[in-house]
Amino acid sequence: MTGKRSAGILLYRGTGPATEVLLGHMGGPFWAAKDEHAWSVPKGEYEGDELPEVAARREFQEELGLPPPAGDLRPLGTVRQTGGKLVTVWALAGDLDPERITPGTFAMEWPRGSGRTREFPEVDRVAWLDLGRARTKIVAKQQVFLDRLGELLDGAAGTR
């Protein structure tokens, strides 16, 4: 198990069956030919005493090149991904134009063993997806965040 921690924001818009979430398709050569379970909540690692909520907002901007919309973050909890990383996510109601995204980049050796380093986008595309379609696209361990968002929104609808 690793001690790595990551924080992110699941941006959503709409209500009921019209609810959509903003997901990013992971960049880099490993994910290039994959679509199902190759999308993720915009998120990133944080260390030390940085507050996870602060990291989530910072990472949203680093990954997408735009600040998250103003609003209150609503906790969706934490899950341990397959590699051992703990991922904490918040829901945020808002809108954002995917055409305005200018993703951050990361460097890695590619092709492996070549000794050459190349830069790749953190995400190579971003899209609004309804919850049903998002379930087939998001990485498996993050599906729980979609479930929790649905529960959160259902609960909010019941209190009106």
Side-chain angles (χ1 to χ4, degrees):
M1 299 280 182
T2 69
K4 292 184 178 183
R5 300 176 298 165
S6 189
I9 294 174
L10 181 59
L11 194 63
Y12 71 93
R13 66 184 184 187
T15 58
T19 301
E20 295 179 310
V21 293
L22 186 77
L23 298 179
H25 182 271
M26 293 183 277
F30 177 77
W31 300 102
K34 295 175 174 47
D35 190 54
E36 283 194 13
H37 305 298
W39 294 68
S40 177
V41 171
K43 61 175 181 43
E45 291 183 13
Y46 67 99
E47 296 181 13
D49 59 359
E50 183 178 19
L51 293 173
E53 297 93 337
V54 172
R57 289 185 188 275
R58 174 182 50 77
E59 287 294 336
F60 187 97
Q61 180 150 359
E62 284 181 17
E63 286 219 348
L64 303 182
L66 296 171
D72 293 330
L73 296 179
R74 301 170 75 183
L76 296 178
T78 301
V79 298
R80 186 175 299 279
Q81 294 204 147
T82 304
K85 183 187 297 180
L86 287 175
V87 178
T88 304
V89 170
W90 286 265
L92 176 63
D95 203 355
L96 185 143
D97 180 358
E99 297 297 317
R100 294 185 50 226
I101 300 296
T102 54
T105 60
F106 68 96
M108 67 178 280
E109 181 185 25
W110 191 258
R112 283 199 177 132
S114 68
R116 291 192 308 262
T117 301
R118 290 186 46 199
E119 282 206 0
F120 297 96
E122 296 270 356
V123 295
D124 55 23
R125 61 191 181 277
V126 175
W128 285 102
L129 304 167
D130 65 60
L131 290 176
R133 190 157 173 246
R135 282 184 210 296
T136 68
K137 303 291 184 188
I138 199 166
V139 292
K141 290 288 186 171
Q142 291 181 23
Q143 286 178 345
V144 68
F145 296 127
L146 300 176
D147 297 338
R148 292 174 183 169
L149 175 64
E151 292 166 8
L152 184 73
L153 297 178
D154 287 347
T159 60
R160 288 187 194 142

